[in-house]
Amino acid sequence: MEEFSVRHRRFVANYFAGKVKELRFQLAIVVAGCDKSLSTFTSGGEVSRDNHQAVLYGFSAFTNVIQTLKDAVKTVTNEQLDWSKIERLRHGSFMRNVRNAATHDGNPVISGWADGRYFVPSKIVRIDGFGKTIEIPAPAEDVRAICLDFAEDFCLLLRETLIAAGGIEHLKGSKFSIEEVEDAFANSTFIPPFAKELFAQNREKIEADLKDLKHDPIADAVKELGEVIQYCDSVKGD
């Protein structure tokens, strides 16, 4: 298995919680768009084009964050998260394949709408990078239910994977080394000269403070994953 440097793993670990927040952000856009569509339809109104686009583009962005988090958890833990595990989740196989369809083919995926709800109306047919024809069955559930069920299961899997991983204690501590901070101060055109001078005068203290930081990127990621799980559970009955 490919080994990742400690520095590389720390970089990705520091971004992980933020990427989980992005997953929730895109998921919430899809859910809000689906809810607004149903509410508007129920009240006899006309669903706007902007709302359709929010669901369509939000779903596309949501599927791409899935791939990012899959890759990130491999880098952080140095353990492969196989698609076979993800495919066992609710709608796991569907999400894997439509991510490819949306990213590589530009397929909109969501092209069905009925009674205020968004659907994938029929199977999707695509040709993969090896020239093989892939058929993706259309789920019976609407897009809102698909995204919430998958997101909940996926975040549970990511959380379990991070908690179970060993050898990640060395990722704790400051997000940056003193050399990285120093380089940023030296090369940034946005930092005024007086700030650069202050940094130079206090370099040793700043270095000591960095070493004392208790930042734990894995704990932060686990917390954010829990927030997504709670969010999914809280809106399922709406």
Side-chain angles (χ1 to χ4, degrees):
M1 179 178 294
E2 181 181 3
E3 294 282 342
F4 296 96
S5 71
V6 172
R7 190 181 185 207
H8 184 189
R9 293 174 70 186
R10 184 177 290 116
F11 279 160
V12 178
N14 287 335
Y15 303 143
F16 206 106
K19 211 64 187 178
V20 176
K21 290 180 182 180
E22 183 179 341
L23 180 79
R24 177 175 174 173
F25 180 85
Q26 300 298 349
L27 174 63
I29 287 176
V30 173
V31 171
C34 290
D35 289 348
K36 185 174 182 180
S37 174
L38 183 59
S39 175
T40 303
F41 172 79
T42 303
S43 63
E46 183 177 350
V47 180
S48 70
R49 182 170 179 268
D50 287 345
N51 195 80
H52 291 322
Q53 290 181 332
V55 175
L56 176 65
Y57 300 153
F59 179 81
S60 179
F62 172 74
T63 60
N64 275 294
V65 181
I66 293 166
Q67 180 69 51
T68 303
L69 288 170
K70 176 188 178 297
D71 293 343
V73 80
K74 174 187 174 183
T75 304
V76 170
T77 66
N78 210 35
E79 295 290 337
Q80 179 72 269
L81 179 59
D82 293 329
W83 274 114
S84 60
K85 287 186 178 181
I86 298 174
E87 287 178 336
R88 290 196 289 268
L89 308 178
R90 285 175 292 178
H91 310 295
S93 179
F94 171 78
M95 294 301 291
R96 176 190 184 179
N97 286 316
V98 296
R99 203 285 307 185
N100 289 331
T103 300
H104 301 305
D105 307 340
N107 193 308
V109 179
I110 304 169
S111 56
W113 184 91
D115 298 332
R117 289 183 165 86
Y118 293 92
F119 295 90
V120 181
S122 60
K123 71 179 180 182
I124 294 172
V125 180
R126 67 179 302 268
I127 299 174
D128 68 11
F130 301 98
K132 180 181 177 182
T133 300
I134 305 294
E135 293 190 358
I136 309 169
E141 296 86 345
D142 71 334
V143 169
R144 185 186 195 275
I146 291 169
C147 290
L148 287 170
D149 285 346
F150 176 80
E152 183 175 23
D153 289 358
F154 184 55
C155 288
L156 280 166
L157 176 61
L158 290 175
R159 187 171 68 176
E160 291 168 1
T161 304
L162 289 176
I163 292 173
I168 55 179
E169 283 292 316
H170 58 282
L171 299 180
K172 294 181 180 180
S174 173
K175 290 185 177 183
F176 310 103
S177 68
I178 186 62
E179 291 78 16
E180 290 166 339
V181 177
E182 189 171 43
D183 183 67
F185 267 77
N187 295 301
S188 175
T189 58
F190 296 99
I191 298 175
F194 78 88
K196 294 182 179 182
E197 184 177 345
L198 281 175
F199 173 82
Q201 293 172 356
N202 295 278
R203 185 186 186 281
E204 291 185 4
K205 183 180 184 307
I206 294 170
E207 182 176 13
D209 290 343
L210 286 174
K211 290 179 180 179
D212 289 340
L213 288 177
K214 306 301 181 184
H215 172 64
D216 186 344
I218 304 304
D220 289 348
V222 168
K223 177 180 178 295
E224 292 301 330
L225 288 165
E227 294 288 336
V228 180
I229 294 165
Q230 289 181 2
Y231 167 76
C232 292
D233 186 62
S234 69
V235 300
K236 278 186 176 181
D238 291 357

